[in-house]
Amino acid sequence: MASVLVVEDDQFVRSALIRQLSMSSAEPHTVRSVGTALEALREVAHFRFDVVILDLGLPDLDGSEALKMLRGITDVPVIIATARDDEAEIVRLLHAGADDYLVKPFSVDHLSARMAAVLRRSRAAGEPPASRALRVGGLTVDPLRRQAELDGTPLDLTRREFDLLAFLAGRPGVVVPRKELLAEVWQQSYGDDQTIDVHLSWLRRKLGETAARPRYLHTLRGVGVKLEPPVETQP
């Protein structure tokens, strides 16, 4: 049973989500709900939640701004519930710290499946990882300390960026299919490739490379992604 905070200003939607999430035959949850961003911030500051369902169209503050404020006080997983399906908006939300998103209208079964995946990722992140540091060229990844360095310089990675990098670093030179990345890093059996592409883009930027001129991260179109040491060019 998970503790869920629903942040939604539409009373009809709130009531439906509370009723269906708290009475789910698969896994009933403890649900609290609020209708404004400020109330959400107060709730998170005073209670422990396993996941937050955050609507963007709030009356007092745009949900994207509320997300940034939430990320300033907690790392609780946040699923965005939005009627906005613009790609740039979705990318911005992921960059701001959202763990997942759903475009309205959606079924409670779909929401429950996304919640289950987010909760699995969150719980897995709390498990003691392997202690052996992974080294690929000048890249060092320490799963135990959740730290990564490139040529001795620490990398400032988000939780999901680190998980993705560590997974690939544990399989150097191996082309990992996107479905496997979704299953192992995101704990999802299905999903949008855009999520992977966004995080790969952020990782490349922090590794000092681009998709056009890769050094460590290589994408094989239609196949998958691999991480391998850069090829040193001869002077």
Side-chain angles (χ1 to χ4, degrees):
M1 178 182 293
S3 177
V4 183
L5 176 63
V6 174
V7 188
E8 168 66 61
D9 68 319
D10 187 311
Q11 186 59 51
F12 177 78
V13 175
R14 282 174 65 186
S15 299
L17 287 174
I18 293 169
R19 181 175 62 255
Q20 296 184 52
L21 289 174
S22 61
M23 300 177 64
S24 170
S25 58
E27 184 180 358
H29 304 293
T30 301
V31 185
R32 293 177 66 91
S33 71
V34 294
T36 68
L38 292 180
E39 288 176 313
L41 292 169
R42 282 196 292 266
E43 286 286 305
V44 169
H46 290 90
F47 300 97
R48 180 189 177 279
F49 294 99
D50 295 304
V51 64
V52 173
I53 311 301
L54 178 64
D55 176 42
L56 293 185
L58 300 174
D60 60 334
L61 190 66
D62 186 81
S64 60
E65 293 302 315
L67 174 63
K68 292 179 183 178
M69 295 176 73
L70 282 171
R71 277 290 163 260
I73 61 175
T74 180
D75 61 354
V76 61
V78 176
I79 299 177
I80 297 294
T82 176
R84 310 170 193 174
D85 60 356
D86 178 68
E87 179 178 340
E89 176 76 357
I90 292 170
V91 169
R92 186 169 69 86
L93 291 168
L94 289 170
H95 189 57
D99 291 81
D100 206 344
Y101 63 89
L102 280 172
V103 177
K104 295 178 178 178
F106 52 80
S107 68
V108 173
D109 286 342
H110 191 175
L111 173 60
S112 296
R114 292 296 186 97
M115 283 175 52
V118 166
L119 288 169
R120 283 196 299 271
R121 295 198 299 267
S122 178
R123 289 162 182 165
E127 295 175 357
S131 60
R132 181 174 62 89
L134 307 170
R135 292 181 175 82
V136 181
L139 182 65
T140 302
V141 182
D142 189 332
L144 183 61
R145 295 179 177 82
R146 294 189 67 81
Q147 295 175 346
E149 295 181 351
L150 179 61
D151 298 327
T153 301
L155 295 173
D156 182 15
L157 304 177
T158 66
R159 181 179 62 187
R160 194 68 66 239
E161 289 169 356
F162 182 88
D163 291 343
L164 177 58
L165 182 63
F167 186 80
L168 291 171
R171 298 153 183 78
V174 176
V175 179
V176 181
R178 288 171 175 265
K179 286 186 178 180
E180 185 176 349
L181 289 176
L182 281 171
E184 298 297 333
V185 178
W186 277 267
Q187 299 293 310
Q188 294 180 195
S189 57
Y190 62 93
D192 193 339
D193 280 1
Q194 178 181 284
T195 299
I196 297 176
D197 291 335
V198 167
H199 286 83
L200 284 172
S201 176
W202 295 340
L203 265 181
R204 284 193 175 100
R205 189 179 310 161
K206 293 177 180 181
L207 293 175
E209 60 183 67
T210 65
R213 301 188 66 179
R215 295 184 67 239
Y216 284 90
L217 290 169
H218 300 264
T219 300
L220 281 73
R221 187 178 298 275
V223 182
V225 182
K226 68 176 177 178
L227 184 145
E228 62 183 8
V231 177
E232 300 296 335
T233 57
Q234 295 296 326

